[in-house]
Amino acid sequence: MQARGIHHLGVAVEDLDEAVTTYERIFGARLEHRETVPDQGELLASLGEETPVGKFLTERGPGMHHVAYEVADVRAAIGELAEQGVELVDEEPRQGLFGLEVAFLHPNAVNGVLSELVHDG
């Protein structure tokens, strides 16, 4: 599998509004899109303690949640990695933000870092 590069970084935060303000103030960033996604997001605020982000915040606190890598074909990348014995979270692609096709690799497979594969057309 060949990644095209890093697509995005997901950061888990306790207070989404405060985090957006911080990134605007420090980096001059601007909010492009805000959406509630039941399972994941990018500046990631928890929708509940039992969600993946909620569990992450409880166990580790705010910080880097995942790294997403752009690939040409998520399904093909999953198949190739599965053949290599890489531990996957998703054995089939799922729909991410903006309708993108995504799949996650288990942190155990990538030195403790939750990693996401993204096809961005």
Side-chain angles (χ1 to χ4, degrees), residues 12-68:
V13 299
E14 296 284 354
D15 183 318
L16 188 56
D17 292 325
E18 181 181 313
V20 169
T21 299
T22 298
Y23 279 78
E24 288 172 341
R25 180 177 50 81
I26 293 175
F27 299 111
R30 68 179 176 84
L31 182 64
E32 290 184 9
H33 180 79
R34 186 168 179 164
E35 182 176 337
T36 299
V37 178
D39 54 352
Q40 303 292 340
E42 304 326 322
L43 260 185
L44 307 159
S46 172
L47 295 176
E49 291 181 8
E50 293 305 313
T51 65
V53 175
K55 290 176 183 176
F56 179 92
L57 287 167
T58 298
E59 293 172 14
R60 298 186 183 189
M64 186 64 59
H65 181 266
H66 69 271
V67 177

Side-chain angles (χ1 to χ4, degrees), residues 81-100:
L81 293 170
E83 286 179 9
Q84 295 174 21
V86 173
E87 188 175 357
L88 306 172
V89 172
D90 297 309
E91 295 180 8
E92 293 289 325
R94 65 169 109 166
Q95 185 174 341
L97 286 175
F98 309 108
L100 299 176

